[in-house]
Each structure stands twice: as C-alpha cells, then as structure tokens.
Amino acid sequence: MNSESCIFLAGASRGVGREIANCLSGGEVKVRALLRSPASGPELERMGIEIVMGDALDLAAVEQAVADGPAISAMISTIGGLPKDGQRADYLGNRNLIDAAVKAGVGKFILISSIGSGKSAVALPPQAMETLKSVLIEKEKAEEHLINSGLTYTIIRPGGLKSEPATGNGVLTEDYRVAGTIHRADVAALACACLHSDQANNKILSAIDRQMAYGQTDFEVLDI
C-alpha cells in the first residue's frame, strides 16, 4: 500500500475497532473511520484519523462515506452489537459495507467475526452456542456474503475477548476446532498484519492467544 491509499475502518469507536485505530494511527497510510455517533470523533481525529459520519445500516450513507475522499485500498469492519430498531449490524451493517466495497473497487476486506460462527461452532460448548446462537447466525451470514462478494477477503474469528494490554502471543490458524481467549489489542495487531499479507487472503482464521487456548493446543499457525 502506498502513501496515497486509504484504509476504511468501521467500528472504531470501541473494542477491537478502537485498538485497530490505535494500531494504524501515525502510519503512512491514511485512515478513514465511519462513526454512527460523534462522541469518539475528537479523540480519533487527534490520532490523525479522518472521521465520516454515517450508520452502517444505511447503505446510501455507507456508499457516500466510502466515496468521500481518496480511494479505499482496504476496508476493515468490527461492527456488531446491540440491535437498533430490532436490527443487528452484525449482518445488515456488514452487508452494506461489503456491497459498498464492491461498488468502490476496494482491494481487500477484513471482517472481524467470532469463533462459533460457521464450522467453528464445534469449538464452543453447547451452552455457549445456545447463548450466542442468534448473534452467530448473523455473523455467519455476513461471512458468507463477503465470501460470495468477489472481494479479496480475510475473516478473523477471535475467541473470548479481554481488554488488557497486548501480550504479543496472538496467533491465527485455519483450524476451526481451536478455541481460547485473546486480548483485543492482539486481535488488532493480527488484523493490521493481515492488511499486508497475501498469506491471509481469502481465508477464514481463528484468533486466540497461544497461552490461553482451551483444550486442543496442537494446531498449525498461519505465518503472516
């Protein structure tokens, strides 16, 4: 990616998205963050990140946010969470972002999903799957929409998330049976590494901390 490229980040106001913003700030590549609420805007702007306002559930707003400014070389989405007017952003919001990325000719799309989605359902205990089922169904639909979009993609499914500082022990694996926990800052570091790694292209990857794996600890790590 050259100095003229721009990374579009959705979900920068909190969680993994904020950690990705931290990871990308101060670099040579411009970052444009889509925000639904202006509350976190000033802090992100102090980090050198361009802010565009819009709701991911509004396709026209997303397309406008993508079109305003330099061409987007890569898009990262961490959005999801509580329903708005009965709609979760996990699928509908990500679908709009993916469709806008296709329309704009974005080079790469990185989607932060969750262990338990798709085939990785086998990695979670039945009780956890039952609790998270409605969310994971939406996340899986988003994953499928991205895979079928024609975009170059990387889907990262983190395990249980913690907010402590990065450990540096975060790893990615194509082994969908793996489960564990990982710090949000380590997920962010892995996502940022995937931006520049062809090894991560068109792959679905589970993300855990090597020191915090559950059960199965013998798995192949993707070298990015």
Side-chain angles (χ1 to χ4, degrees), residues 4-216:
E4 298 303 314
S5 64
C6 179
I7 296 169
F8 190 95
L9 176 59
S13 62
R14 60 187 178 85
V16 173
R18 172 55 67 88
E19 295 292 348
I20 291 174
N22 291 339
C23 181
L24 294 174
S25 67
E28 293 182 0
V29 180
K30 296 181 177 67
V31 181
R32 190 183 315 160
L34 176 70
L35 294 182
R36 187 174 65 185
S37 164
S40 56
E43 184 177 349
L44 290 168
E45 286 179 327
R46 285 193 292 271
M47 295 162 60
I49 294 173
E50 178 192 356
I51 301 304
V52 286
M53 300 304 301
D55 190 334
L57 292 173
D58 180 346
L59 177 58
V62 173
E63 289 180 344
Q64 186 65 47
V66 170
D68 284 347
I72 307 295
S73 58
M75 190 177 289
I76 306 175
S77 175
T78 70
I79 66 170
L82 297 174
K84 181 192 178 188
D85 301 327
Q87 294 181 317
R88 291 193 66 94
D90 298 86
Y91 169 56
L92 294 173
N94 279 313
R95 183 189 68 186
N96 289 340
L97 289 163
I98 292 161
D99 290 349
V102 171
K103 185 176 181 179
V106 170
K108 191 178 214 176
F109 195 110
I110 296 177
L111 176 64
I112 308 299
S113 184
S114 176
I115 286 180
S117 179
K119 291 170 70 175
S120 68
V122 299
L124 295 186
Q127 185 176 357
M129 278 302 301
E130 188 60 34
T131 301
L132 299 170
K133 184 177 180 180
S134 62
V135 179
L136 294 173
I137 287 172
E138 298 297 302
K139 290 186 180 297
E140 182 175 356
K141 286 165 65 178
E143 291 180 6
E144 290 173 351
H145 193 72
L146 177 55
I147 291 165
N148 294 326
S149 70
L151 293 166
T152 297
Y153 67 86
T154 302
I155 294 168
I156 299 176
R157 295 170 172 166
L161 293 167
K162 295 187 174 184
S163 295
E164 288 85 348
T167 68
N169 295 322
V171 293
L172 296 170
T173 178
E174 292 185 77
D175 191 333
Y176 58 84
R177 300 166 298 174
V178 169
T181 56
I182 185 168
H183 294 185
R184 288 177 171 85
D186 287 305
V187 178
L190 293 170
C192 291
C194 286
L195 281 170
H196 310 283
S197 172
D198 290 341
Q199 298 300 314
N201 287 353
N202 301 323
K203 288 184 177 170
I204 303 174
L205 304 165
S206 294
I208 63 168
D209 190 298
R210 262 199 177 284
Q211 307 302 317
M212 294 186 279
Y214 303 150
Q216 179 185 350

